[in-house]
């Protein structure tokens, strides 16, 4: 497995592994309870990480994202 593909585990750990530590209502961030902000943050981060893996994966030589 390529080292860049190891980044795919980061959203999984953020969503599920660290969720018990983020399970609280206070503080409110941008008007959202902390848990809702946590989930929304990791949804955005998962998309960014997937884009990075797609762009820098050496197995993806004929990409359309140039």
């Amino acid at each position: 497995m390529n080292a860049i593909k190891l980044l795919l585990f980061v959203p999984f750990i953020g969503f599920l592994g660290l969720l018990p530590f983020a399970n609280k209502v206070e503080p409110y961030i941008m008007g959202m309870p902390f848990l809702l902000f946590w989930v929304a943050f990791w949804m955005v981060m998962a998309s960014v990480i997937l884009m990075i893996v797609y762009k820098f994966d050496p197995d993806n030589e004929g990409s359309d994202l140039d």
Side-chain angles (χ1 to χ4, degrees):
M1 181 182 291
N2 297 334
I4 194 72
K5 290 183 181 177
L6 291 176
L7 278 176
L8 296 174
F9 290 110
V10 173
F12 178 75
I13 293 169
F15 268 118
L16 297 177
L18 299 176
L19 191 63
F21 300 108
N23 191 13
K24 50 184 139 179
V25 175
E26 298 287 333
Y28 285 94
I29 301 175
M30 295 189 298
M32 295 184 285
F34 186 72
L35 184 59
L36 181 61
F37 172 77
W38 184 264
V39 172
F41 172 77
W42 278 108
M43 287 177 67
V44 172
M45 288 305 296
S47 299
V48 170
I49 290 171
L50 284 172
M51 183 189 68
I52 290 170
V53 170
Y54 181 78
K55 188 70 174 169
F56 293 108
D57 186 15
D59 295 336
N60 192 19
E61 289 296 324
S63 71
D64 296 333
L65 187 68
D66 287 329

